[in-house]
Amino acid sequence: MSKRQLRIGLIGYQFMGKAHSNAYRQVARFFDESPVEPVMQVLCGRNEAKVTNAARKFGWAEVETDFRKLIARPDIEVIDIAAPGNMHEEIGVAAALAGKMVLCEKPLGNTLGQAKRMYNASIEGKAITAICHNYRFAPAIQLAKKLISEGQLGEIYHFRGVYLQDWIVDPKFPLVWRLQKDIAGSGSHGDLNAHVIDMARYLVGEIAEVTGLLKTFIKERPLLAEVNDRLGGAASDEMGEVDVDDVSMFMARFENGAVGTFEATRFATGHKNYNRFEINGSKGSVIFNLERMNELEVYINSDAPEIKGFRNVQVTDGCHPYTANWWPAGHIIGYEHTFIHLVYEMLQAFNRGESLNPDWLEGLKNQAVLEAVVISADSGRWVSPSSLL
Amino acid sequence: MSKRQLRIGLIGYQFMGKAHSNAYRQVARFFDESPVEPVMQVLCGRNEAKVTNAARKFGWAEVETDFRKLIARPDIEVIDIAAPGNMHEEIGVAAALAGKMVLCEKPLGNTLGQAKRMYNASIEGKAITAICHNYRFAPAIQLAKKLISEGQLGEIYHFRGVYLQDWIVDPKFPLVWRLQKDIAGSGSHGDLNAHVIDMARYLVGEIAEVTGLLKTFIKERPLLAEVNDRLGGAASDEMGEVDVDDVSMFMARFENGAVGTFEATRFATGHKNYNRFEINGSKGSVIFNLERMNELEVYINSDAPEIKGFRNVQVTDGCHPYTANWWPAGHIIGYEHTFIHLVYEMLQAFNRGESLNPDWLEGLKNQAVLEAVVISADSGRWVSPSSLL
Amino acid sequence: MSKRQLRIGLIGYQFMGKAHSNAYRQVARFFDESPVEPVMQVLCGRNEAKVTNAARKFGWAEVETDFRKLIARPDIEVIDIAAPGNMHEEIGVAAALAGKMVLCEKPLGNTLGQAKRMYNASIEGKAITAICHNYRFAPAIQLAKKLISEGQLGEIYHFRGVYLQDWIVDPKFPLVWRLQKDIAGSGSHGDLNAHVIDMARYLVGEIAEVTGLLKTFIKERPLLAEVNDRLGGAASDEMGEVDVDDVSMFMARFENGAVGTFEATRFATGHKNYNRFEINGSKGSVIFNLERMNELEVYINSDAPEIKGFRNVQVTDGCHPYTANWWPAGHIIGYEHTFIHLVYEMLQAFNRGESLNPDWLEGLKNQAVLEAVVISADSGRWVSPSSLL
Amino acid sequence: MSKRQLRIGLIGYQFMGKAHSNAYRQVARFFDESPVEPVMQVLCGRNEAKVTNAARKFGWAEVETDFRKLIARPDIEVIDIAAPGNMHEEIGVAAALAGKMVLCEKPLGNTLGQAKRMYNASIEGKAITAICHNYRFAPAIQLAKKLISEGQLGEIYHFRGVYLQDWIVDPKFPLVWRLQKDIAGSGSHGDLNAHVIDMARYLVGEIAEVTGLLKTFIKERPLLAEVNDRLGGAASDEMGEVDVDDVSMFMARFENGAVGTFEATRFATGHKNYNRFEINGSKGSVIFNLERMNELEVYINSDAPEIKGFRNVQVTDGCHPYTANWWPAGHIIGYEHTFIHLVYEMLQAFNRGESLNPDWLEGLKNQAVLEAVVISADSGRWVSPSSLL
């Protein structure tokens, strides 16, 4: 009857810190059947005033301003890294070597080298890990996974994924940290294509080789005056160089013979968060669009000929994973729920002493694809991700 | 090997005359298997210059300016009435009593009395008849009919039909004949709701009673200076009274226990030709939208629970009626093709010595529903269409 | 800096109790700018074991099993009535006369008489009130309201609303309380059409008269063995009578000259929670669908002719109400968020000593429309809601 | 008043022959304002019985069985090449050198060499030419072109085109000529990606370099027993090798700085003729889908912030090109109409003594892109199309 409690220390309190906090808060309320529940113990950030305010707002019991102190605390069992990419390695390695259970935001590192060192530390520290590819935990994605695993789509021929946003199409949009290579590592590539890559690997399989293209359309932007928690902020008068990609595109050959196209851009005017993919197999197809994440389009080739067609499946019925914990059929859930589902699954895995699927090895493999694309974009040739591992 | 030829005399050369002409021209080209083909012999209209020009343009061999002369010609076997509604009775009765095969545009008459006299004349003259409810012959509608007839939708509970246009929402749009009661009989009611009623009766069954509402939003408009063939024309400076409905709405109880809503309006800003209906049965549902007439949405309740959803069926595959005569799957057909299909079916029926389904009796029954709505709109009570017959 | 705290006592812990609890929990976390915050003090229900379990699960500090005791507690400032409709009057009158701030689920009562007595009690007790028409607080609805208020749609001609579900189309679905007149008052009528009516009145205006139709397709169902919190439950072997409507339909004339159709049904096979309406005005139109509640389709007639069309507006950008408190553009919110927004607005109003819009007077007016439809369905005539007040 | 008549000789009578025949037949009927009209004089094919039957069916006055005789006839002014790709060069060169006006189906040749020789012959013979990229003449594409030309989309950043079909996903589908390299030249590449390339070049501009991938999923198929006119036919028992691509994919850098993805496949299960592209510019975007070819989605970034969204423009209003010649707004046209529009424009150009845009030079440039993709697919490197010319 009494549940195991896992005390969490979360590092970072902007967009991702807010989403993770909400996930910890909500998971116990809606997944009462869980034998384990999180305790929102410590929020960690460098600026004491800001982190204190965020902790109050998000509901954390305490704050720390030094992540090393946080990791050193024996009461904290789970470290959650929601800081920018350039901090992942330092925090991740320390947490892993300290034998913590560690959740890390995606991508695992800003470079493949960083990701490798993190993964190695997790092996050395026997750390239980998780990477925050939250979209896997949308019920519609779980349905796609099930259909493919059961062979309902047959042999997979095609993956076609795009992640289209337009929040920086205005040249006056300021140089936020997501547009700075030393912090973010890359632009749309690691931020958006990392999601598409994870989805493709999760649903279709390993990628054998890629040929890529990265491009920066607007090379100078106003420096940032003040940040907000919705990706943007106020612009200053001074200009700075954009050293990350505005668009990241590649073609892929999968190991199982399928072929794929990938595109992530922040210059697709009119699209806000259009993370859409399509998978075609010999027996059927699925189409997902994050902006309508409660739906999955499904085509079953063995349907009666005269009534074949893409079905718009509302993935809100009680027969789908997680949905019975929420609302009746047709009452939709939102973006934040993917984090709640991930945290739920992570808690179950951690409680069993196991890493979550996806763990840091998954993160590392995604990173190898990201790196292969970067190398290919530079050389103009096809590159094998696995050759980089 | 040699085909029977049916000589046609078409009365009217505006919008409907153009559509009918095209149907006669194309049917033989695309339905080569037909044992009978039309001959575009005579186009008839009161204005000799205009009808001569139209005949040249549309491809008719001769013209007549007096419909009585046309009907008197023994070489003309089929009379096609595409003149405004106030002409239907006079022409239709004459043609029927002359024993012609007669196709009449919908609605059959401007009043139930007119329609009755036409129907009676067709019985007296033993005339073979057809009424031009062309939408029945969209492949998607044929599919809906088949699904319902086979019981794939089960017991029907709901019909929900709208016909939304916006071409007169501008108060400066002129008083064309479609807005004059003495010519058109009614406004959106007979022009648009006649289509919805025919669809409902065709697919769901007879209507037991109705309660209706008719309304004219804009009561005065500029008189028409000159007509064009796209419903409109140029406005003059003088104003005239609009004595037809802008919107026609009603609720219905069907004889089989289903219930329905009907709405036709020319004031649905943003909609051009949105003739959409939905039918829900105990086992499934269908949704049709004329603006996307090559598609039918189909829901099958016995589908596996986790992949139930409305299927978007592209009704362009060779397994659907008529489509194999056109183009490969996915290559859409248009509005005009519904007339070609109707003419094809009419020719087959006429060749067998039978009336088309729908014939004038169908037209009469549709008219009874139209009239019942008018009476109900006046009295505020439920009215039974069959009580008017 | 320190916020005013309002202690809440919530009565009811099933579907609505769960949704309200979540709203109280989340509002402070995401609307930090609010000068007032709720305290989840008491959950009230008749079954002590069940209410205790629910309180733990949803996060309430205490429980009560007698609503009169709850109302008598001076520390409880806000009473939230999420019990079935047959309890509303008794609780509502007591709470109102005790001078509490009271939020009541919709519809206000099971009959117009009940609603009137509640409203009168609120006047007598000078109670501050609110009614839980949560859909008003979807950002897309707020946008529709703004466009209409600013005159961007011009004079309103048409309202066209449906609320389509299919959860009882299976004749073996058990006789849950929502299908029992003595508890629920009505079927789809008060449950679903109440929402459509509120939306129509909120956006278009007062309804002058209605003509309605109520129908029960399946008149006997298995009795309920055990309830779940997703509207359903397990069926027993015994049968019982369904004495509420399966479908509720009506036509309306609005006071401002617009006309409307309304339909609510639980027999629209394939639809889960399809609460869709469309409003057409002389200058533009809007379309909303609850299943895609983050979107609003908007048509602006003054757009350049060649690029006129319904715009799919993603109402997730920071310029829309509430959205800046959630996630970046394109990251959707869900059904539950409408309750959070309502609670936020209610707290602001209560803090100012005012009732929320919508309050019990709004609830009463909605109820008069519901009642007018019932009377009309019985008499077959048009009925004026205001004549019943 | 009397029109110039151009006598046509059409070579080929299968799918394309049927579509071209219809275009000649219909153009005069619906584009009466044209000062020039085609005369359907000669249909040419090798099998006399079949071509005679087709001529009767499609409405051609005479037949020829030898294209050289056709070209030698002085009365034939226009040669229309709708034969398979392996015949284009021989016919095209002869017709061009004979100084005919020549329309050729796309792609111009099966190889760049063939296309070059055809183009050179057209220069040498001072031939007036046209290539049948009919999709350019959909009203929605004309609208896209207009918006881009007027700068309404600003600087173009992205082109994203797919052409998805599934008609050969069944391994038992026979080895029709479209799957044989010696006749068709390539598979989805020349058949489908040729369309996407033409669209991209027409709307975005010249392609500077490409990197491509071609793949054949199913390498052996049953030989064809008998052909039909809807792409398929009956399978025999013997097997044969598929030597063309099932999928053709590439990425492109445009000369103006835009980037693009292209994919054409016949293995996209569930898609029939899904030729969709999207173009994103600094000021707006457009999306087109051939299966809904009467619509264009348009996004205008300068719209008021709260009502920005993709507009679904029904390109059926009289303000769009060609539509006033057809039906009232909302009454859709189909696939075949794109040919009619092309023929209309071709007749105007030929009457002025000019080549159509697109002419053989356009065809040649498209072919250079096709060839560059083939070379790139082989070498794994980026290839410049213009370097091949």
Side-chain angles (χ1 to χ4, degrees), chain D residues 211-224:
Chain D
T211 183
L213 180 166
L214 302 175
K215 178 150 190 173
T216 308
F217 292 116
I218 292 182
K219 305 219 163 67
E220 266 205 337
R221 290 182 178 276
L223 294 178
L224 179 69

Side-chain angles (χ1 to χ4, degrees), chain A residues 143 311 313-314 317 319-320, chain B residues 299 301-309, chain C residues 272:
Chain A
L143 173 57
R311 302 167 183 193
V313 180
Q314 285 211 27
D317 230 318
C319 66
H320 298 288
Chain B
Y299 185 89
N301 206 25
S302 58
D303 275 348
E306 70 189 5
I307 52 170
K308 278 197 222 192
Chain C
K272 301 309 163 192

Side-chain angles (χ1 to χ4, degrees), chain B residues 1 3 15 18-20 22 25-26 28-30 32 53 55-60 135 163 165 229-231 270-273 290-295 312 314 316-319 323-337 340, chain D residues 1 3 15 18-20 22 25-26 28-30 32 53 55-60 135 163 165 229-231 270-273 290-295 312 314 316-319 323-337 340:
Chain B
M1 192 66 208
K3 300 185 177 209
F15 175 17
K18 181 179 173 182
H20 290 217
N22 184 63
R25 184 188 319 121
Q26 293 288 75
R29 297 303 174 199
F30 287 92
D32 191 42
N53 186 47
R56 181 193 55 74
K57 194 168 154 186
F58 298 156
W60 293 87
Y135 296 155
Y163 204 137
Q165 299 185 337
D229 69 348
R230 285 172 64 82
L231 305 181
H271 292 293
K272 301 308 164 194
N273 203 33
L290 183 63
E291 293 176 340
R292 290 178 174 169
M293 56 167 270
N294 293 274
E295 308 172 18
N312 189 293
Q314 285 211 29
T316 55
D317 232 318
C319 65
T323 54
N325 290 71
W326 297 105
W327 315 107
H331 295 70
I332 70 169
I333 57 172
Y335 166 72
E336 70 204 49
H337 295 73
I340 305 172
Chain D
M1 190 69 205
K3 300 185 178 209
F15 175 17
K18 182 179 174 183
H20 290 216
N22 184 63
R25 184 187 322 121
Q26 294 286 75
R29 297 301 173 200
F30 287 92
D32 193 42
N53 187 47
R56 180 192 55 75
K57 196 168 153 184
F58 298 156
W60 294 87
Y135 296 155
Y163 204 138
Q165 300 185 337
D229 70 347
R230 282 173 66 81
L231 304 183
H271 291 294
K272 302 308 163 193
N273 205 33
L290 183 64
E291 292 177 339
R292 291 178 174 169
M293 56 169 269
N294 293 274
E295 307 171 19
N312 189 292
Q314 286 211 27
T316 55
D317 232 318
C319 65
T323 54
N325 289 71
W326 297 104
W327 314 106
H331 295 70
I332 69 169
I333 57 170
Y335 166 72
E336 71 205 47
H337 295 73
I340 304 172

Side-chain angles (χ1 to χ4, degrees), chain A residues 103-155:
Chain A
L103 169 63
C104 186
E105 254 306 321
K106 46 61 47 185
L108 191 54
N110 274 354
T111 66
L112 183 58
Q114 291 172 11
K116 271 186 192 169
R117 289 188 291 273
M118 290 175 71
Y119 174 69
N120 290 341
S122 78
I123 297 296
E124 190 183 333
K126 298 198 167 82
I128 286 170
T129 62
I131 186 161
C132 195
H133 276 295
N134 52 304
Y135 296 154
R136 289 195 185 193
F137 300 94
I141 298 300
Q142 293 291 309
L143 173 57
K145 178 70 177 172
K146 183 167 184 283
L147 294 175
I148 292 170
S149 301
E150 291 174 357
Q152 290 200 51
L153 302 194
E155 185 180 346

Side-chain angles (χ1 to χ4, degrees), chain B residues 4-79:
Chain B
R4 174 175 175 196
Q5 294 196 321
L6 285 178
R7 244 174 300 266
I8 314 290
L10 170 67
I11 304 162
Y13 51 82
Q14 288 190 8
F15 175 17
M16 279 304 114
K18 181 179 173 182
H20 290 217
S21 296
N22 184 63
Y24 294 119
R25 184 188 319 121
Q26 293 288 75
V27 69
R29 297 303 174 199
F30 287 92
F31 291 81
D32 191 42
E33 67 275 22
S34 174
V36 51
E37 63 183 15
V39 178
M40 296 174 70
Q41 196 63 39
V42 181
L43 184 66
C44 179
R46 282 170 292 193
N47 181 315
E48 183 160 13
K50 284 186 180 171
V51 74
T52 302
N53 186 47
R56 181 193 55 74
K57 194 168 154 186
F58 298 156
W60 293 87
E62 306 170 52
V63 301
E64 292 281 0
T65 56
D66 178 346
F67 75 83
R68 299 202 175 269
K69 279 197 197 156
L70 176 70
I71 291 171
R73 282 176 60 156
D75 64 321
I76 298 299
E77 293 160 282
V78 178
I79 298 293

Side-chain angles (χ1 to χ4, degrees), chain D residues 121-255:
Chain D
S122 77
I123 297 297
E124 193 183 332
K126 296 202 169 81
I128 285 170
T129 63
I131 185 161
C132 194
H133 276 295
N134 53 304
Y135 296 155
R136 288 196 185 192
F137 300 93
I141 298 299
Q142 293 291 310
L143 174 57
K145 177 69 175 174
K146 182 167 186 282
L147 294 174
I148 292 170
S149 301
E150 292 174 356
Q152 291 202 51
L153 304 193
E155 186 180 348
I156 304 303
Y157 292 129
H158 288 291
F159 176 85
R160 202 172 291 116
V162 295
Y163 204 138
L164 308 182
Q165 300 185 337
D166 72 353
W167 52 286
I168 61 171
V169 79
D170 179 355
K172 285 171 288 187
F173 187 91
L175 201 59
V176 296
W177 71 260
R178 275 187 168 78
L179 305 185
Q180 298 173 42
K181 192 169 190 170
D182 57 354
I183 306 180
S186 67
S188 59
H189 190 53
D191 185 23
L192 306 180
N193 241 342
H195 278 301
V196 188
I197 289 165
D198 183 68
M199 207 51 84
R201 288 187 53 257
Y202 180 54
L203 295 174
V204 180
E206 296 301 336
I207 291 171
E209 51 176 359
V210 299
T211 183
L213 180 166
L214 302 175
K215 178 150 190 173
T216 308
F217 292 116
I218 292 182
K219 305 219 163 67
E220 266 205 337
R221 290 182 178 276
L223 294 178
L224 179 69
E226 194 179 357
V227 74
N228 66 26
D229 70 347
R230 282 173 66 81
L231 304 183
S236 77
D237 289 338
E238 254 179 291
M239 301 293 282
E241 190 201 353
V242 179
D243 53 5
V244 299
D245 54 284
D246 288 334
V247 54
S248 148
M249 295 156 61
F250 66 96
M251 298 194 298
R253 289 193 184 94
F254 290 82
E255 290 183 358

